[in-house]
Amino acid sequence: MPARRLELVDPDLCVGCMSCMFACSRRFGDSGLNYSAIHVRSVGGVERGFTVIVCRACDDPSCAKVCPTSALRMRRGGGVTLDAKLCIGCGYCVRACPFGAIFWDGVNDKPIICTHCGYCVDFCPYGVLRVM
């Protein structure tokens, strides 16, 4: 069975409601947006729409390559998994991601990594995301 992988269906459908972000943060028991591994951002006003920033599940992820402690490991099906016990909080992974899809947990000083669980998909009322 292939690994699950989050995919953007059509970012032009996004209305910026941030339901996906709230859902993702909720995975960690947070009621805000602090721990979301997916971000929605305006690209210049309501007329120009929004962009959705999420891990693209790279087959050869640059974030894992720059991790000095191997805290980020290749995930079957693309992307990475985080072993938080090994992470030293250097932030190299954040700077290495070409999509800007690794976010930072400033409280714990660790990266926030998409696990491709698909929880966010169920909360998007416009079908912007899907799990493959």
Side-chain angles (χ1 to χ4, degrees):
M1 180 177 182
R4 295 167 53 110
R5 190 175 182 152
L6 189 63
E7 183 178 287
L8 283 172
V9 175
D10 185 354
D12 290 337
L13 297 174
C14 181
V15 298
C17 69
M18 300 182 184
S19 294
C20 57
M21 292 176 63
F22 283 107
C24 185
S25 254
R26 190 181 298 164
R27 292 179 309 140
F28 300 102
D30 185 75
S31 60
L33 301 172
N34 294 332
Y35 298 102
S36 178
I38 183 169
H39 280 224
V40 174
R41 187 170 41 213
S42 170
V43 291
V46 174
E47 296 89 23
R48 298 189 67 194
F50 298 89
T51 186
V52 179
I53 303 165
V54 67
C55 176
R56 305 292 173 91
C58 301
D59 291 329
D60 190 21
S62 55
C63 57
K65 289 181 181 175
V66 298
C67 181
T69 63
S70 299
L72 291 176
R73 296 190 188 122
M74 298 273 303
R75 177 182 164 272
R76 187 172 60 90
V80 294
T81 59
L82 172 67
D83 183 342
K85 291 178 287 194
L86 295 177
C87 180
I88 59 174
C90 66
Y92 293 162
C93 54
V94 173
R95 291 187 287 279
C97 178
F99 304 105
I102 296 180
F103 304 100
W104 197 251
D105 172 358
V107 173
N108 296 306
D109 214 21
K110 307 281 183 210
I112 299 171
I113 305 291
C114 177
T115 62
H116 296 267
C117 67
Y119 194 66
C120 54
V121 172
D122 294 335
F123 288 87
C124 177
Y126 299 99
V128 175
L129 305 161
R130 72 177 166 205
V131 174
M132 298 294 290

